[in-house]
């Protein structure tokens, strides 16, 4: 691979959420860590302080599943588009860039949690319920009843969205549309469809 490593054999690697586009962290990779990342599908970096390879999440469980690796025009910087399995930052924040400068002072970035990230988080909870049922969970009730019950709810929620759309109070539409999205995600999980699949389809239409 034509990657231009620096004099220490390293190249900067920017981890980015593949759905929201949020920058999660910046680390470094050497030739071996890049090779392992490609082979395993898990982001593997090189620690400059410890002078050793490290797999993101090897201790915390917050792995970064690599979806795509981009190389810049100068071939000396990488972007890893990843599916984060937990917070990227050791502080517990989703991204290491959770603060911003305002008037010379550091303040929390309230935009830390993007809209797309919320959809992904809800989807992940639904998928987790399917794999690890929780007693009394409405989501598990829908999975137990099967696809016909799930599709019936899609029909009911769609009708309620139509009715709410005629109401001057947009708050009702907001509520019903959220219900529809939730039930749609249940069906997506049931059928093995992800937000990535939908984004890929929409992107192909845009082109």
């Amino acid at each position: 691979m034509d990657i231009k490593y620096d004099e220490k054999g390293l190249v900067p690697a920017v981890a980015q959420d593949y759905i929201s586009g949020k920058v999660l962290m910046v680390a470094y990779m050497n030739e071996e860590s890049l090779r392992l990342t490609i082979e395993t599908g898990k982001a593997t970096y090189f620690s400059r302080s410890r002078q050793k390879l490290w797999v993101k999440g090897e201790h915390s469980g917050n792995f970064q599943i690599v979806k795509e690796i981009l190389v810049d025009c100068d071939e000396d910087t990488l972007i890893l588009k990843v599916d984060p399995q937990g917070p990227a930052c050791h502080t517990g924040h989703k991204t290491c860039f959770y603060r911003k400068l305002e008037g010379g002072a550091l303040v929390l970035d309230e935009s830390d949690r993007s809209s797309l990230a919320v959809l992904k988080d809800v989807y992940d909870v639904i998928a987790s319920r399917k794999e690890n049922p929780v007693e009394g969970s409405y989501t598990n009730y829908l999975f137990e009843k099967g696809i016909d019950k799930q599709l019936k709810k899609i029909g009911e929620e769609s009708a309620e969205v139509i009715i709410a759309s005629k109401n001057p109070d947009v708050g009702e539409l907001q509520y019903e549309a959220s219900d529809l999205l939730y039930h749609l995600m249940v069906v997506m999980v049931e059928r093995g469809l992800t937000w990535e699949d939908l984004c890929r389809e929409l992107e192909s239409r845009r082109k």
Side-chain angles (χ1 to χ4, degrees), residues 19 22 36 45 60 86 98 101 116 120 138-139 177:
I19 289 181
K22 195 81 172 178
L36 288 172
Y45 303 104
S60 65
Y98 61 90
L101 277 174
L116 287 175
K120 181 179 179 299
Y138 174 67
T139 301

Side-chain angles (χ1 to χ4, degrees), residues 98-167:
Y98 61 90
R99 298 171 296 177
K100 59 184 176 181
L101 277 174
E102 280 191 0
L106 283 175
V107 297
L108 285 177
D109 182 4
E110 298 300 333
S111 65
D112 182 28
R113 186 172 171 83
S114 72
S115 299
L116 287 175
V118 172
L119 289 176
K120 181 179 179 299
D121 285 350
V122 174
Y123 179 96
D124 288 345
V125 170
I126 294 171
S128 176
R129 288 288 188 272
K130 184 173 174 62
E131 295 299 320
N132 307 287
V134 174
E135 185 177 354
S137 164
Y138 174 67
T139 301
N140 282 132
Y141 164 77
L142 292 175
F143 284 130
E144 290 167 4
K145 291 298 182 180
I147 190 68
D148 288 341
K149 176 65 174 180
Q150 297 163 18
L151 295 179
K152 181 180 178 182
K153 291 300 297 182
I154 290 285
E156 292 173 359
E157 298 301 337
S158 297
E160 290 178 3
V161 166
I162 293 172
I163 295 171
S165 298
K166 302 287 288 184
N167 192 320

